[in-house]
């Protein structure tokens, strides 16, 4: 029963948060709603006894990714409202509605039978993190390492693209030079 | 020996291709000399083959397979027997002479190289026609000479009259070729083979009506090529081409292809004498018909062209009456003196800057003695005086008609002989004797180049001696293949009356021409007369053809062209228009706007989902659906 | 209704996915578009983990884990590009980014 109550509560909250994200005119509200939604999704992971996933969701998504987006928000005058030239709203809702309907129909119908074989079956008795560790570092080791490299590359890419000139360091310049720099930037 | 066969056949092709390489360049003397050299090689090979055939050998080679499908087997095969070698000698001799002559005649022409390419190509096609051992190979040669004739008649293609004449010749030939194809198909359908050997072997036991049909259709094909009535108008118009072309094609070789066909298919025609009578009657009619038109014409080459037409009629009379060797013999003799006449006319044309009206000439005998003597002797041979070649061939045909008990044919041919002598000498006297009318028109004639006269001389010699020298040998050689009819009038008195009488009649005609034309008075009253006008306008036949056939057909074509535009073009344009319209309407899909592209992506996704759902639904409920559909 | 089965989670995931689709189609601001993309990724994560739980297989959780990793790197690179574009053109409105017009 607790599970049912928790599920419905968090489902309602998540859906409403994400709805705010896609429909609000205020950028800051959208960001906030998105962060909230992330957190509520981690709740789902905990309900599903995927503790490791829930914690990772909190740390990575609502922590790091949201922080990234918050920095991205610097490019706004966030008090102003988003003026988006709206296209055909009806079409948009219709399309989404149809796709949702069809997929729901597909998953709601008792289609797939019972004999789904588990490749990496959940081991009883150990905690979730330990179990995940056992699978991650044996069977999924190569994707893990590749993902690590990819993250490294993404980080370097982000720094290179958005960063200023690297060969100058403010801390090593004299006051006068900093002033001239500022003057250039301002003008 | 087979090597000589291939040399004789392919040497002209080599000459043609080599000349063709220079086709677009300025005149290079090399092409003319090389082509003539190749022709001479062909001539020598034919001569060597002649020697062999005289000793009784025949050669049959199969170069390669052409069609081998189902029951039809047609090779590229060539046969050299007595009939073939006769034709080969005629073709190569006249061709070599004409080639050398043309080096001089086309001296100042810009398209010198192109001319020799076409001319040698023509000779090659003619050799294929003559040497082939099956009807389809003959047909290839047939079409080949038609094409080359078209190319050569319309050689000066900037002149509209020339291109028109070329088209007329080709189209008329095409009409006849349709009939010839029907004839070939009839033979194949019923006899199962188109090689001569096969046909001749099985023709004895075939259905008579079928043979009549086949023979008749093949003859219609021959009619087109040999310009028999009613497909004759192209021959006179074909004089638009250069004179060497007229000499080679329209005197000696292409127009005799029809006669050759009938002679070659003699086993077939022997079995259907009723068709033969029709052929002979038509031939006699044409002989008289053409001679009548030549009487009053004022175009030098046309007179000679009508003369050719007339002599072709003689040949068909002989062939139709079953005297195939006589027809072939006349073909050979005629080729020599007719080509000589044409070449002489070419000399005159060159001297008179392409003027064709003999009434504007006169007295040229003093300026051009060589040409004068050649043309006169050729005319004597044409008229049939003893002992020139014409006597032995033409008078023989008269005997054939007489012996075969065809009095009408004999009379017609006799009268035509007189007319022939008259108009030939009318031409000769108008051009070469009398007062020098050309001075009034400002011409400065001169004799042709020495080497051109030298080239023409072999023809002169042959025209004189071919009769009494060759007839015996020829007869023995050719009757190995052709039926050997002896056409002698057995009663010697009748024979001598006939012969002497004919000679006197012809001599009288010549005298009459001399009296009328040595001073070349033009009688205006006669000219306005009905008969004169009728003959001068060629019995108005070209006009009739134009009104009855050409104009309505042109109108019909225009109507169909409109229909084609409206239906076919519209359909094709419509299809293209659909594509354009669709493109115009849908290219806004790619406007570079990410948002709209995302929307389209979702549309695609929805479409896939819908189709997946339908598919799954159908698959899982297949039995229910089948029940609903009633199975 | 009380018993939460796999179907519930999948329906939830579908609803969240369609909300994400709405966002993707409606938003004309590039940053907002990124937000909508995040929603899409998260909904898929839910579905994967739910299936993993109900079938007793770790594959789903592994997959979701990697999706998170990839999403993080995608955000990094995407925002870098967004910053560059903004510095150049001073706007991140999608209607002004039509240089790939076909």
């Amino acid at each position: 029963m607790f599970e049912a109550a928790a599920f419905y509560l968090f489902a309602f909250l998540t859906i409403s948060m994400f709805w705010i994200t896609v429909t609000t005119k205020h950028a800051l509200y959208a960001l906030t709603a998105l962060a909230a939604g992330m957190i509520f999704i981690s709740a789902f992971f905990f309900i599903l006894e995927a503790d490791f996933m829930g914690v990772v969701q909190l740390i990575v998504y609502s922590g790091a990714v949201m922080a990234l987006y918050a920095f991205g928000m610097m490019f706004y005058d966030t008090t102003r409202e988003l003026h988006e030239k709206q296209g055909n709203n009806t079409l948009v809702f219709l399309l989404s509605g149809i796709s949702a309907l069809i997929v729901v129909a597909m998953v709601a119908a008792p289609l797939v039978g019972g004999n789904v074989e588990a490749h990496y079956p959940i081991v009883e008795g150990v905690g979730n993190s330990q179990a995940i560790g056992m699978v991650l570092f044996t069977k999924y080791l190569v994707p893990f390492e590749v993902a690590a490299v990819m993250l490294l590359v993404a980080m370097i890419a982000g720094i290179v693209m958005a960063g200023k000139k690297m060969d100058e360091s403010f801390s090593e310049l004299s006051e006068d030079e900093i002033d001239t720099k500022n003057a250039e930037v301002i003008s | 020996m087979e090597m000589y066969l291939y040399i004789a056949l392919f040497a002209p092709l080599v000459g043609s291709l080599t000349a063709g390489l220079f086709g677009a360049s300025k005149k290079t003397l090399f092409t003319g000399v090389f082509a003539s050299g190749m022709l001479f090689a062909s001539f020598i090979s034919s001569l060597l083959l002649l020697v062999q055939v005289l000793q009784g050998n025949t050669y049959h080679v199969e170069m390669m397979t052409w069609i081998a499908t189902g029951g039809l087997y047609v090779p590229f095969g060539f046969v050299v027997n007595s009939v073939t070698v006769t034709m080969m000698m005629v073709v190569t001799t006249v061709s070599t002479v004409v080639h050398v002559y043309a080096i001089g005649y086309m001296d100042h022409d810009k398209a010198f190289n192109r001319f020799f390419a076409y001319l040698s190509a023509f000779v090659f096609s003619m050799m294929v026609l003559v040497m082939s051992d099956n009807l389809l190979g003959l047909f290839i040669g047939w079409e080949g000479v038609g094409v080359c004739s078209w190319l050569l008649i319309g050689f000066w293609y900037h002149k509209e009259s020339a291109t028109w004449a070329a088209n007329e010749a080709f189209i008329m030939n095409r009409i006849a070729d349709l009939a010839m194809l029907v004839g070939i198909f009839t033979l194949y359908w019923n006899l199962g083979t188109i090689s001569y050997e096969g046909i001749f072997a099985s023709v004895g036991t075939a259905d008579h009506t079928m043979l009549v049909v086949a023979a008749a259709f093949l003859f219609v094909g021959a009619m087109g090529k040999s310009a028999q009535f009613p497909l004759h108008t192209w021959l006179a118009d074909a004089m638009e081409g250069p004179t060497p072309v007229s000499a080679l094609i329209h005197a000696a070789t292409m127009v005799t292809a029809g006669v050759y066909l009938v002679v070659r298919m003699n086993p077939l025609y022997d079995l259907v004498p009723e068709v033969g009578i029709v052929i002979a009657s038509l031939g006699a009619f044409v002989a008289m018909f053409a001679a009548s038109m030549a009487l009053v014409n004022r175009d030098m080459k046309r007179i000679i062209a009508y003369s050719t037409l007339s002599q072709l009629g003689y040949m068909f009379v002989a062939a139709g009456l079953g005297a195939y060797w006589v027809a072939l013999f006349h073909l050979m003799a005629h080729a020599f003196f007719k080509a000589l006449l044409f070449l002489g006319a070419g000399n005159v044309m060159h001297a008179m800057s392409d003027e064709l009206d003999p009434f504007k000439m006169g007295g040229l005998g003093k300026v051009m003695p060589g040409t004068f003597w050649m043309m006169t002797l050729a005319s004597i041979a044409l008229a049939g005086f003893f002992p020139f070649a014409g006597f032995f061939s033409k008078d023989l045909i008269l005997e054939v008609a007489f012996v075969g008990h065809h009095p009408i044919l004999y009379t017609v041919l006799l009268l035509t002989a007189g007319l022939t002598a008259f108009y030939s000498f009318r031409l000769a006297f108008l051009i070469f004797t009398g007062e020098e009318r050309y001075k009034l028109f400002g011409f400065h004639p001169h004799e042709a180049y020495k080497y051109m006269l030298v080239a023409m001389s072999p023809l002169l010699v042959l025209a004189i001696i071919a009769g009494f020298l060759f007839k015996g040998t020829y007869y023995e050689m050719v009757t190995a293949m052709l039926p050997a009819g002896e056409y002698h009038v057995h009663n010697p008195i009748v024979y001598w009356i006939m012969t002497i009488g004919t000679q006197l009649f012809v001599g009288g005609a010549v005298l009459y021409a001399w009296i009328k034309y040595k001073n070349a008075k033009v009688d205006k009253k006669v000219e306005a007369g009905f008969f004169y006008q009728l003959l001068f306008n060629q019995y108005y036949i070209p006009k009739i053809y134009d009104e009855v056939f050409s104009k309505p057909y042109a109108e019909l074509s225009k109507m169909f062209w409109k229909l084609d535009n409206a239906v076919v073009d519209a359909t094709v344009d419509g299809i293209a228009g659909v594509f354009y319209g669709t493109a115009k309407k849908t290219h806004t899909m790619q406007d570079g706007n990410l948002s709209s592209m995302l929307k389209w992506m979702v549309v695609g996704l929805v479409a896939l989902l819908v189709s997946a759902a339908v598919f799954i639904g159908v698959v899982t409920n297949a039995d229910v659906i089948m029940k609903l559909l009633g199975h | 209704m009380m018993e939460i089965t796999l179907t519930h989670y999948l329906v939830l995931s579908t609803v969240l996915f369609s909300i994400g689709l709405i966002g993707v189609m409606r938003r004309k601001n590039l940053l907002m578009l990124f937000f909508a993309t995040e929603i899409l990724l998260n909904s898929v994560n839910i579905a994967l983990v739910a299936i993993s739980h109900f079938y007793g297989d770790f594959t789903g959780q592994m997959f979701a884990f990697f999706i998170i990793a990839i999403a993080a790197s995608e955000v990094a690179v995407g925002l870098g590009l967004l910053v560059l574009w903004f510095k150049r053109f001073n706007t991140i409105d999608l209607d002004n980014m039509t240089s790939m017009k076909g």
Side-chain angles (χ1 to χ4, degrees), chain B residues 84-103:
Chain B
T84 315
V85 83
T86 316
M87 288 295 297
M88 279 169 72
M89 284 311 296
V90 168
V91 171
T92 49
T93 315
V94 178
S95 306
T96 316
V97 168
V98 166
H99 267 78
V100 176
Y101 179 87
I103 298 179

Side-chain angles (χ1 to χ4, degrees), chain C residues 18-51:
Chain C
S18 55
I19 292 178
L21 278 184
I22 293 176
V24 156
M25 285 194 279
R26 278 190 78 226
R27 287 303 201 184
K28 290 291 193 297
N29 191 304
L30 194 57
L31 201 55
M32 298 296 123
L33 199 64
F34 281 148
F35 289 173
T37 313
E38 293 304 320
I39 299 175
L40 291 176
L41 287 167
N42 275 285
S43 72
V44 168
N45 273 353
I46 293 181
L48 279 168
V49 174
I51 293 175

Side-chain angles (χ1 to χ4, degrees), chain B residues 590-595 598, chain C residues 24-25 28 33 95 97-98 102:
Chain B
Q590 295 189 319
D591 54 358
N593 187 329
L594 183 60
S595 194
L598 285 168
Chain C
V24 156
M25 285 194 279
K28 290 291 193 297
L33 199 64
D95 285 334
M97 295 184 189
T98 56

Side-chain angles (χ1 to χ4, degrees), chain C residues 4-101:
Chain C
I4 305 296
T5 63
L6 178 59
T7 313
H8 289 78
Y9 280 103
L10 289 182
V11 169
L12 173 67
S13 166
T14 310
V15 171
L16 289 177
F17 191 84
S18 55
I19 292 178
L21 278 184
I22 293 176
V24 156
M25 285 194 279
R26 278 190 78 226
R27 287 303 201 184
K28 290 291 193 297
N29 191 304
L30 194 57
L31 201 55
M32 298 296 123
L33 199 64
F34 281 148
F35 289 173
T37 313
E38 293 304 320
I39 299 175
L40 291 176
L41 287 167
N42 275 285
S43 72
V44 168
N45 273 353
I46 293 181
L48 279 168
V49 174
I51 293 175
S52 148
H53 177 258
F54 281 100
Y55 281 106
D57 188 352
F58 267 129
T59 313
Q61 295 186 30
M62 287 294 102
F63 218 130
F65 177 73
F66 283 117
I67 287 181
I68 293 180
I70 288 171
S73 53
E74 171 232 326
V75 167
V77 175
L79 283 183
L81 287 173
L82 184 143
V83 165
L84 277 178
W85 187 274
F86 186 79
K87 276 197 201 161
R88 176 103 163 70
F89 292 103
N90 241 1
T91 170
I92 47 174
D93 191 1
L94 276 187
D95 285 334
N96 296 333
M97 295 184 189
T98 56
S99 59
M100 295 266 290
K101 195 175 166 97

Side-chain angles (χ1 to χ4, degrees), chain B residues 341-554:
Chain B
L341 269 177
F342 264 115
L343 294 182
N347 283 342
V348 172
M349 271 181 69
H350 234 179
M352 299 285 290
S353 313
D354 295 340
E355 176 57 51
L356 288 170
D357 188 348
F359 280 99
K360 293 208 181 91
M361 311 174 192
L364 281 176
K366 300 192 197 68
V367 186
M368 312 172 65
T371 312
F372 170 55
W373 279 111
M374 285 195 187
M375 279 190 77
T376 313
L377 288 169
S379 300
I380 295 179
L382 173 59
F385 284 110
F386 181 86
F388 286 65
F391 171 75
F392 289 95
S393 59
K394 216 162 77 158
D395 281 39
L396 199 52
I397 299 182
L398 288 172
E399 279 182 49
V400 165
F402 189 80
V403 166
H405 301 292
H406 301 283
I408 307 178
L409 287 180
Y410 176 74
T411 323
V412 168
L413 289 183
L414 186 60
L415 281 173
T416 313
L419 291 177
T420 309
F422 176 74
Y423 64 67
S424 321
F425 279 94
R426 166 180 180 262
L427 184 67
F429 292 144
L430 273 176
I431 297 178
F432 292 111
T433 64
E435 55 173 278
E436 289 149 353
R437 292 183 295 280
Y438 62 86
K439 290 216 178 101
L440 298 168
F441 295 95
F443 290 112
H444 302 288
H446 54 87
E447 182 61 277
Y449 296 126
K450 265 283 184 325
Y451 68 83
M452 285 164 76
L453 291 176
V454 168
M456 286 160 68
S457 52
L459 288 180
L460 178 66
V461 169
L462 282 169
I464 298 176
I465 64 167
F468 60 83
L469 213 54
F470 291 158
K471 182 160 158 237
T473 344
Y474 165 80
Y475 181 72
E476 276 168 34
M477 177 181 81
V478 118
T479 46
M481 278 204 63
L482 300 174
E486 291 278 337
Y487 298 101
H488 281 318
V489 183
H490 289 293
N491 192 336
I493 302 177
V494 178
Y495 175 69
W496 281 112
I497 293 179
M498 264 182 55
T499 318
I500 306 282
T502 318
Q503 296 285 286
L504 284 175
F505 179 54
V506 170
V510 173
L511 206 60
Y512 183 59
W514 169 252
I515 294 171
K516 273 212 82 169
Y517 288 108
K518 76 169 190 296
N519 287 324
K521 281 198 260 311
V522 176
D523 200 342
K524 285 275 186 266
K525 254 196 346 195
V526 171
E527 273 196 11
F530 170 71
F531 282 112
Y532 188 92
Q533 284 299 316
L534 190 69
L535 293 177
F536 193 70
N537 289 314
Q538 302 157 59
Y539 294 92
Y540 294 103
I541 288 184
K543 234 193 215 64
I544 295 175
Y545 282 169
D546 198 34
E547 291 296 323
V548 171
F549 293 115
S550 309
K551 286 210 176 66
Y553 190 75

Side-chain angles (χ1 to χ4, degrees), chain B residues 533-610:
Chain B
Q533 284 299 316
L534 190 69
L535 293 177
F536 193 70
N537 289 314
Q538 302 157 59
Y539 294 92
Y540 294 103
I541 288 184
K543 234 193 215 64
I544 295 175
Y545 282 169
D546 198 34
E547 291 296 323
V548 171
F549 293 115
S550 309
K551 286 210 176 66
Y553 190 75
E555 290 304 316
L556 199 68
S557 299
K558 282 204 193 91
M559 196 179 76
F560 275 118
W561 180 70
K562 282 208 196 68
L563 190 71
D564 177 70
N565 251 358
V567 172
V568 175
D569 272 4
T571 315
V572 174
D573 288 345
I575 294 179
V578 162
F579 279 113
Y580 269 131
T582 319
K584 257 196 235 157
K585 291 204 191 73
T586 54
H587 93 282
T588 48
M589 213 159 83
Q590 295 189 319
D591 54 358
N593 187 329
L594 183 60
S595 194
S596 69
M597 289 207 259
L598 285 168
K599 282 205 194 79
W600 280 110
M601 204 168 74
V602 174
V603 167
L605 174 71
V606 168
L608 276 175
L609 280 176
V610 167

